[in-house]
Each structure stands twice: as structure tokens, then as C-alpha cells.
């Protein structure tokens, strides 16, 4: 795959969120600390949510998509023309047209080891199911729900005394740690695709 990085020009990313926005904030912090070499062009949200408060505090430009969010998103992405679209708790299924247009340029993070527990409430579902190991998955977005080619996964063991709240905390900790690192690798273009297997040139973590 070709690198989207051009010498001296930081890659431009657009983040999409619908909720708390803690991953968005972790990405902003990684950019500011130099861990992630990119410019956050815009936070786009589809509803009123706490991510907006974070964007205001962090002084990152943000916009709420208009009512027909898909049309509005399609238009804004064309105008902003980012190198990468980063889904960070965006609670919508992207229309096939957008997925096709931005193929290999949309990433998502999911709080389970896919293909286990896709969809909403994944942490709770894994906990209630009684799995002993769970984790996070970062993947390219395709037309399905959490079905795109997997870029990175990190597993954690659920200790027997952990509550659901503790598991949520531990999951978010690793999300915040690894999402910026994976975004950096994707932007550097140091990966290849074989079938649906994403091969990173170098391991992460
Ligand atoms: C994260 O757990 C992410 O994996 C999932 O939605 C959650 C978003 O959390 N897709 P936040 O809004 O970034 O705090």
C-alpha cells in the first residue's frame, strides 16, 4: 500500500464520534505529544454528545452533521478530503457508497476481540457471556457491522474479581494506548493486504 504521508506534510484526519469521546481525546493528546504525526482536521458528530465538550476544551474544530447525517457526511468528507477517517464510537452504519469511496481510508475501534461480540454493548456482552479473555480490535471499515479486515487486536485476561466497570476501564485504557499507534502505522502505509489479512510491516506492542 502506498504511504499517504508526504514529506513535511502532516496527514489530515477526520474523527467521527457519537458519544463520550474518550478515544477522540486520546488521539488529540497523541497528536499533541508528537506520538501521532497528523493534523486533526475536524471532529464530526451525528448528535449532541460529550465528545463536543471535549472538542471545545481541546480547541479542535467540530461540527454536528445535519439531520440526514449520511448525506451531510458524504458532502463534508468530499470537502475536507482527509487522508484517514477515524471512527471513535460513531454509532451509525456507514452507507455502502461512503465505504466504497473511502475504501482503506476508514478505520474503526471495537471493544471486543472480533468476530466475537460485534455490535453494541460488546464489553457487557463479553462479560456476561463469561469469557476469560477479551480485548480490542482495530479494523478497516467495510459494509458490514464490525466485519472489516482486522489491523490490530490486543487481548486482556478478565481476572476473577473484576466487575463489569473494572473491565470497561481496562478496555478503554488499552483503546487509548493503541488506537493512536495503529492510526500512525496506517498513515505511514506500512501495511499490505492479502485477501482480508492485513499485514503490518512491523508489530505493534
Ligand atoms: C469505545 O469502546 C469504542 O471501542 C467503541 O465505542 C466506544 C467509544 O468510546 N466503538 P468513547 O466515546 O471514545 O469514549
Amino acid at each position: 500500500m502506498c504511504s499517504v504521508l508526504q514529506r513535511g506534510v502532516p496527514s489530515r484526519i477526520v474523527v467521527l464520534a457519537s458519544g463520550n469521546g474518550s478515544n477522540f481525546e486520546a488521539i488529540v493528546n497523541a497528536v499533541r505529544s508528537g506520538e501521532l504525526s497528523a493534523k486533526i482536521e475536524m471532529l464530526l458528530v451525528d448528535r449532541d454528545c460529550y465528545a463536543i465538550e471535549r472538542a471545545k476544551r481541546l480547541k479542535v474544530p467540530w461540527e454536528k452533521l445535519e439531520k440526514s447525517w449520511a448525506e451531510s457526511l458524504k458532502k463534508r468528507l468530499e470537502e475536507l478530503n482527509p487522508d484517514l477517517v477515524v471512527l471513535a464510537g460513531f454509532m451509525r452504519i456507514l452507507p455502502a457508497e461512503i465505504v466504497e469511496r473511502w475504501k482503506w481510508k476508514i478505520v474503526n475501534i471495537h471493544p471486543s476481540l472480533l468476530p466475537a461480540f460485534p455490535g453494541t454493548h460488546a464489553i457487557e456482552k463479553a462479560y456476561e457471556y463469561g469469557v476469560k479473555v477479551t480485548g480490542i480490535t482495530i479494523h478497516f471499515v467495510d459494509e458490514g457491522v464490525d466485519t472489516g479486515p482486522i489491523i490490530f487486536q490486543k487481548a486482556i485476561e478478565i481476572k476473577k474479581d473484576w466487575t463489569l466497570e473494572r473491565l470497561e476501564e481496562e478496555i478503554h485504557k488499552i483503546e487509548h494506548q493503541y488506537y493512536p499507534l495503529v492510526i500512525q502505522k496506517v498513515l505511514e502505509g506500512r501495511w499490505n493486504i492479502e485477501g482480508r489479512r492485513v499485514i503490518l510491516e512491523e508489530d505493534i506492542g
Side-chain angles (χ1 to χ4, degrees):
M1 281 287 148
C2 256
S3 167
V4 293
L5 283 181
Q6 291 171 41
R7 204 178 290 269
V9 182
S11 303
R12 297 163 58 256
I13 64 184
V14 166
V15 180
L16 268 56
S18 305
N20 181 24
S22 68
N23 280 282
F24 160 66
E25 180 156 357
I27 293 163
V28 174
N29 290 338
V31 168
R32 294 192 175 164
S33 73
E35 184 188 14
L36 172 56
S37 140
K39 175 167 185 281
I40 301 173
E41 209 55 31
M42 180 78 68
L43 169 75
L44 294 176
V45 298
D46 64 324
R47 62 193 77 182
D48 292 327
C49 59
Y50 190 66
I52 297 173
E53 304 313 314
R54 295 185 194 258
K56 287 180 184 164
R57 172 164 49 77
L58 295 162
K59 303 200 183 333
V60 173
W62 65 275
E63 277 175 22
K64 187 171 152 189
L65 295 166
E66 281 160 28
K67 259 249 154 54
S68 60
W69 67 270
E71 275 310 304
S72 168
L73 177 61
K74 189 176 130 191
K75 180 166 167 282
R76 289 307 279 132
L77 289 181
E78 290 305 330
E79 288 162 356
L80 294 163
N81 192 29
D83 296 303
L84 192 67
V85 180
V86 174
L87 307 191
F90 189 62
M91 302 296 287
R92 301 275 193 180
I93 298 162
L94 296 182
E97 192 190 349
I98 293 184
V99 171
E100 198 46 48
R101 162 68 180 86
W102 298 92
K103 199 164 185 184
W104 307 116
K105 287 192 171 187
I106 312 177
V107 291
N108 181 41
I109 187 163
H110 183 78
S112 75
L113 294 175
L114 291 170
F117 310 112
T120 55
H121 308 296
I123 305 177
E124 193 181 338
K125 282 183 198 155
Y127 186 83
E128 295 301 336
Y129 195 91
V131 296
K132 304 297 182 204
V133 175
T134 185
I136 61 165
T137 303
I138 297 167
H139 63 92
F140 287 111
V141 171
D142 67 5
E143 285 83 356
V145 178
D146 302 322
T147 52
I150 293 172
I151 307 166
F152 175 82
Q153 291 186 303
K154 189 81 189 171
I156 51 174
E157 214 179 302
I158 305 179
K159 308 279 189 253
K160 59 175 180 297
D161 60 337
W162 282 11
T163 59
L164 171 61
E165 291 68 34
R166 173 71 190 274
L167 177 60
E168 282 168 348
E169 236 172 74
E170 298 293 334
I171 290 279
H172 294 313
K173 224 185 274 174
I174 56 172
E175 286 189 328
H176 303 162
Q177 179 183 355
Y178 287 103
Y179 208 10
L181 297 176
V182 174
I183 292 168
Q184 177 69 36
K185 286 278 184 254
V186 171
L187 288 172
E188 285 170 0
R190 295 164 70 198
W191 54 277
N192 267 294
I193 187 94
E194 286 175 10
R196 57 164 286 132
R197 295 177 61 230
V198 179
I199 319 286
L200 294 178
E201 277 177 21
E202 270 169 27
D203 289 339
I204 299 170

